[in-house]
């Protein structure tokens, strides 16, 4: 599995144009350059969406929507306002929110976390138990804290990127992450903490 | 996830709140657990390609430059993936009409309406029913790279006939070299002592490349050209087989588009490239132009030349991985006893490996299949390129290999030579080749049903060659084992017994002595 730390900050391969240059080419009419942007960011965007909807088909649908919206609105991207990746993740984030709003099944993305963890048939059997524990731990967190944990640990975004994406300051994001880790450390149920400590880790 | 990632997160935390350092033993397991149990979120390759196709179609159908309605093309709202996919799929597979026109004696592709151009050769996978390609066990597969393969049987380079291509270096000729004698042969015993991965796939999906599906109607192409000698329109229903064009300029190329094969290849236009060595009349002249290992550019430089060429000529790398230099030829140099006389090739090859479901596809020789680009060492330019293919495939399910003994049997027999038809007096040397832990990948196999080569892309276990004894030559980096039960069963069948070809005579040597 690829590192979450290569998802958003996908560096331009040596000698290849940067995201901003590719986006600028698209804005100037050479839409063929969008393919390179797609290649660079697909995995990250897919994973970002998947972690939030926890269902493969929905993740594919929303990923498609995200890239089609990005292509459609590429002219609205302004490199002076931030990285292309942040712009793309913002589209993905809004797409996920729209999805939950439209569904009526959940009024808010937050409620997907209230689903019992065993309702996630996408999980491999071997992953189910471990995931259930992590799910339980995340469920105890307030929505904004949970989001920052996901953005930092699973999506692998830097604090700067998280700040751009969420509209918070970088310092505030750092502080929130730190406090959330404190919360996890001090408020996690003793049973769950013991469970986390006792289970063997995967190779890290 | 690496420990450096964890260290980075921890150091960031300590920077924010130094007091947390005292709680590292509590934080570490939480962080590790969070990171390790991140759900697996790898997109399915079929989805990746489908979405890529949709995006490419949208971009190719949009007016490209300077049009006032530049972005008005994108009007699909609200988005419906299924409908959009179906509509765009219909556009992709719809009838394509290509027209060539005569333009000042040159054949050019005319700009289509609104500068739109749909690629004739493209990537597409079409699902078919189960076992749609017939009985795989009855298909003749190319066995030339299979059992008995590896180092091959050849002669030391200094003894090889010039037309034999230099030889492989495994057949030594002892005693009187003027006599035709029974050879010493080398066979390769594959040693795999690891554990095979679980073979749980009851069914595997096989791709078969479709050829000729994009053949352009000949009359449409030729209608506007008056050849004069023959009326081309008098041949109804004719399809265009091939188009070649060339650049009559220094360092020009000749490009061939094969509609029947669905491929594009190019070569240096020989007349337009300098070949000073070809005018040599004596040994000293030849030696003056001989390349040495010092002439071979660094891999990074070779790749840079290839990359520029790919970019300049718009070569489509969809479904191909990053460039790699094929350095297999260096193995010959490593074992050559007389390195000063070693023949350094004129070209170094760069391969853009073909990918299936994101994994590399290997050819039957254990090398990565893909687009191969030759870089001339003398000229530091690309001299040829091939492997650019129409990637339209049919996909069908076949029973997978679930019995590991089929794989071990294949490996055991892979490099061994059947003894029963060896020339009398043959001595056999057995070299042990060590294999490492296999990875899942794909294998490109050719079958020769109806004498027409067909290409199959089959899931395969790729065993890396991890050790070759010093001084031995084994030309493979990997051994690919197909995971389609019928195919592997076929390849596990005993080789047909046929006479082993008698060794070639050296030029200017007497006929063998009759015993």
């Amino acid at each position: 599995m690829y590192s979450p730390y290569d998802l958003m900050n996908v560096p331009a391969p040596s000698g290849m144009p940067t995201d901003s240059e590719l986006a600028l080419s698209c804005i100037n009419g050479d839409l063929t350059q969008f393919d390179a942007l797609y290649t660079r960011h697909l995995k990250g965007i897919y994973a970002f969406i998947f972690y939030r909807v926890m269902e493969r088909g929905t993740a594919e649908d929303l990923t498609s929507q995200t890239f089609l919206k990005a292509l459609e609105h590429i002219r609205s991207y302004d490199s002076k306002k931030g990285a292309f990746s942040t712009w793309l993740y913002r589209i993905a984030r809004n797409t996920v929110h729209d999805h939950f709003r439209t569904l009526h099944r959940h009024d808010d993305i937050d409620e997907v976390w209230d689903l019992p963890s065993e309702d996630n048939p996408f999980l491999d059997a071997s992953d189910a138990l471990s995931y259930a524990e992590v799910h339980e731990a995340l469920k105890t967190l307030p929505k904004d804290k949970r989001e920052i944990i996901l953005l930092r640990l699973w999506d692998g975004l830097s604090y700067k990127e998280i700040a751009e994406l969420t509209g918070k300051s970088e310092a505030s994001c750092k502080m929130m992450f730190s406090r959330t880790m404190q919360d996890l450390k001090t408020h996690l149920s003793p049973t769950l903490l013991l469970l986390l400590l006792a289970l063997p880790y995967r190779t890290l | 996830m690496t420990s450096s990632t964890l260290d980075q997160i921890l150091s960031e935390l300590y920077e924010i709140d130094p007091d947390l350092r005292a709680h590292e033993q509590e934080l570490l397991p939480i962080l590790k657990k969070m990171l390790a149990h991140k759900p697996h979120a790898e997109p399915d390759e079929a989805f990746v390609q489908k979405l890529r196709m949709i995006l490419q179609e949208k971009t190719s159908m949009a007016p490209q430059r300077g049009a006032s309605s530049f972005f008005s093309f994108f009007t699909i709202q609200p988005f419906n993936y299924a409908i959009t996919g179906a509509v765009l799929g219909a556009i992709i597979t719809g009838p394509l009409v290509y027209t060539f026109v005569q333009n000042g004696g040159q054949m050019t592709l005319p700009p289509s309406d609104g500068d739109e151009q749909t690629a004739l050769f493209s990537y597409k996978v079409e699902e078919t029913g189960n076992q749609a390609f017939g009985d795989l066990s009855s298909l003749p597969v190319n066995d030339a790279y299979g059992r008995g393969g590896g180092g091959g049987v050849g002669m030391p380079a200094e003894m090889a006939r010039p037309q034999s291509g230099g030889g492989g270096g495994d057949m030594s000729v002892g005693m009187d070299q003027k006599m035709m004698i029974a050879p010493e042969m080398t066979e390769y015993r594959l040693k795999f002592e690891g554990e095979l991965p679980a073979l749980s796939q009851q069914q595997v999906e096989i791709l078969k490349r479709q050829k000729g599906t994009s053949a352009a109607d000949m009359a449409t192409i030729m209608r506007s050209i008056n050849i004069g000698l023959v009326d081309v329109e008098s041949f109804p229903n004719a399809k265009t087989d091939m188009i070649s064009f060339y650049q009559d300029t220094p360092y020009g190329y000749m490009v061939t588009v094969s509609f029947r094969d669905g491929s594009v290849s190019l070569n240096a236009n020989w007349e337009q490239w300098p070949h000073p060595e070809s005018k040599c009349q004596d040994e000293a002249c030849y030696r003056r132009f001989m390349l040495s290992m010092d002439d071979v550019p660094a891999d990074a430089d070779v790749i840079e030349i290839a990359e520029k060429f790919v970019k300049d000529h718009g070569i489509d790398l969809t479904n191909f991985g990053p460039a790699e230099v094929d350095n297999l030829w260096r193995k010959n140099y490593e074992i050559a006893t007389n390195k000063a006389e070693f023949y350094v090739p004129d070209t170094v090859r760069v391969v853009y490996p073909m990918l299936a479901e994101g994994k590399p596809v290997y050819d039957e020789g254990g090398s990565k299949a893909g687009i191969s680009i030759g870089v001339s060492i003398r000229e530091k330019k690309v001299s040829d390129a091939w492997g650019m293919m129409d990637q339209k495939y049919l996909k069908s399910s076949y029973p997978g290999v679930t019995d590991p003994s089929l794989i071990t049997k294949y490996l055991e027999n892979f490099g061994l030579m059947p003894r029963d038809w060896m020339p009398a007096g043959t001595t056999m040397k057995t070299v042990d080749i060590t294999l490492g832990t296999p990875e899942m990948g794909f294998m490109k196999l050719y079958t020769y049903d109806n004498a027409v080569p067909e290409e199959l892309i089959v899931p395969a276990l790729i065993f890396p060659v991890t050790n070759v004894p010093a001084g031995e030559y084994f030309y493979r980096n990997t051994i690919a084992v197909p995971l389609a039960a019928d195919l592997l069963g076929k390849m596990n069948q005993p080789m047909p017994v046929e006479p082993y070809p008698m060794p070639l005579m050296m030029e200017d040597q007497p006929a063998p002595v009759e015993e």
Side-chain angles (χ1 to χ4, degrees), chain A residues 47-107:
Chain A
F48 176 91
I49 292 172
F50 185 85
Y51 298 147
R52 285 151 183 84
V53 300
M54 298 299 190
E55 203 276 317
R56 182 173 290 278
T58 308
E60 290 181 353
D61 190 12
L62 300 185
T63 302
S64 303
Q65 289 188 40
T66 300
F67 279 99
L68 283 161
K69 284 176 187 172
L71 178 60
E72 183 181 350
H73 298 290
I74 190 84
R75 275 195 306 183
S76 67
Y77 168 63
D78 183 351
S79 59
K80 295 190 195 80
K81 291 182 182 170
F84 175 81
S85 54
T86 309
W87 181 78
L88 191 60
Y89 274 72
R90 197 174 292 131
I91 294 175
R93 190 170 178 248
N94 291 339
T95 303
V96 172
H97 278 284
D98 288 347
H99 165 74
F100 283 109
R101 268 202 293 271
T102 310
L103 262 186
H104 299 303
R105 191 177 58 172
H106 306 294
D107 293 326

Side-chain angles (χ1 to χ4, degrees), chain A residues 1-2 4-5 26 29-31 35 38-39 42-43 46 50-51 56 60-61 64-65 68 72 74-75 130-131 134 138 149 152-154 159 174 177-178 181-182 185 196-197 199-202 204, chain B residues 1-2 5-6 8-9 12-13 16-17 20 23 26-27 29-44 47-48 51-52 55-56 58-59 62 64-65 70-71 74 77 79 81:
Chain A
M1 189 185 298
Y2 48 87
Y5 290 85
C26 292
D30 184 6
L31 287 174
D35 189 64
Y38 170 74
T39 301
L42 173 71
K43 282 187 176 179
Y46 177 84
F50 185 85
Y51 298 147
R56 182 173 290 278
E60 290 181 353
D61 190 12
S64 303
Q65 289 188 40
L68 283 161
E72 183 181 350
I74 190 84
R75 275 195 306 183
S130 303
Y131 173 73
V134 173
L138 289 170
I149 289 286
R152 184 71 190 102
L153 294 182
W154 282 5
Y159 290 114
K174 284 181 178 178
F177 183 77
S178 161
M181 289 307 296
Q182 286 269 26
K185 180 176 72 63
L196 290 177
L197 290 164
L199 281 170
Y201 310 130
R202 289 182 181 177
L204 296 175
Chain B
M1 180 61 52
T2 62
T5 307
L6 273 174
Q8 184 191 338
I9 293 172
E12 286 169 356
L13 278 171
I16 301 161
D17 183 356
L20 281 174
H23 301 281
E26 297 158 80
L27 288 172
I30 296 172
L31 279 170
K32 282 185 175 180
K33 207 75 182 172
M34 288 291 303
L35 291 168
H37 294 299
K38 186 180 64 164
H40 180 74
E42 189 94 17
D44 176 70
F47 161 71
V48 174
L51 179 54
R52 183 190 299 282
L55 290 166
Q56 285 178 346
K58 286 179 75 69
T59 55
Q64 289 292 299
R65 288 179 191 276
F70 178 60
F71 287 92
F74 305 109
Q77 286 183 348
F79 175 79
Y81 183 75

Side-chain angles (χ1 to χ4, degrees), chain B residues 192-470:
Chain B
F192 173 66
E193 293 171 351
E195 283 190 16
L196 290 171
L199 301 168
S200 56
Q201 282 190 285
Q202 298 292 331
Q203 295 283 314
V204 292
E205 289 183 326
I206 294 179
L207 299 177
K208 181 178 184 179
R209 192 164 82 87
Q210 296 301 99
K211 298 179 184 177
T213 56
S214 303
D217 177 72
M218 189 273 286
T220 307
I221 292 176
M222 302 294 284
R223 186 167 292 133
S224 58
I225 303 175
N226 180 7
I227 290 180
L229 300 177
V230 65
D231 176 10
V232 295
E233 293 196 60
S234 67
F235 302 95
N237 304 318
K239 299 288 181 190
T240 304
D241 183 4
M242 219 174 256
I243 290 178
S244 289
F245 54 89
Y246 64 94
Q247 295 173 292
D248 211 7
T249 52
Y251 294 104
Y253 294 99
M254 174 171 282
V255 180
T256 302
V257 181
S258 168
F259 293 96
R260 195 189 311 205
D261 184 49
S263 66
V264 178
S265 59
L266 64 88
N267 286 285
N269 181 2
W270 176 264
E271 294 173 357
Q272 295 294 335
W273 284 55
H275 300 284
E277 75 282 4
S278 65
K279 296 184 176 64
C280 282
Q281 298 292 321
D282 56 52
E283 181 72 10
C285 176
Y286 278 116
R287 288 197 169 278
R288 199 163 61 247
F289 287 105
M290 260 184 78
L291 293 167
S292 74
M293 291 299 279
D294 291 338
D295 296 315
V296 182
D299 285 1
D301 296 335
V302 173
I303 286 177
E304 189 180 343
I305 292 168
E307 298 272 37
K308 182 176 185 310
F309 185 85
V310 164
K311 189 178 176 190
D312 289 349
H313 295 283
I315 292 175
D316 182 6
L317 294 179
T318 304
N319 291 320
F320 292 92
E324 298 176 11
V325 176
D326 182 354
N327 279 320
L328 210 51
W329 65 273
R330 289 181 187 267
K331 288 190 177 183
N332 275 328
Y333 179 75
E334 287 163 11
I335 64 164
T337 49
N338 185 356
K339 289 188 165 42
E341 292 295 311
F342 182 78
Y343 171 72
V344 175
D346 286 339
T347 54
V348 177
R349 303 215 69 80
V350 174
V351 178
Y352 289 85
M354 181 182 181
L355 302 177
E357 297 181 12
K359 297 186 176 70
V361 178
Y362 289 78
D363 63 24
E364 295 163 358
S367 297
K368 286 182 180 172
I371 294 175
S372 179
I373 291 181
V375 174
S376 163
I377 293 177
R378 292 183 198 280
E379 303 300 335
K380 309 290 187 289
K381 291 178 187 295
V382 167
S383 58
D384 65 280
W386 46 268
M388 294 165 279
M389 290 179 305
D390 190 12
Q391 296 190 77
K392 292 190 178 69
Y393 295 96
L394 291 177
K395 181 159 76 175
S396 182
S397 292
Y398 278 84
V401 173
T402 52
D403 178 5
S405 69
L406 287 176
I407 294 171
T408 49
K409 180 182 177 187
Y410 181 76
L411 294 177
E412 282 167 10
N413 293 327
F414 183 88
L416 300 182
M417 294 282 189
R419 303 292 205 280
D420 45 0
W421 42 260
M422 293 285 169
T426 300
T427 54
M428 185 67 76
K429 176 180 156 191
T430 302
V431 175
D432 284 340
I433 304 295
T434 310
L435 303 181
T437 305
E439 290 184 351
M440 290 298 298
F442 287 84
M443 182 177 186
K444 185 178 187 178
L445 279 161
Y446 290 88
T447 71
Y448 294 88
D449 206 12
N450 301 320
V452 178
E454 300 279 5
E455 297 169 30
L456 300 179
I457 309 292
V458 185
L461 276 182
I462 312 298
F463 292 81
V465 172
T466 54
N467 186 55
V468 176

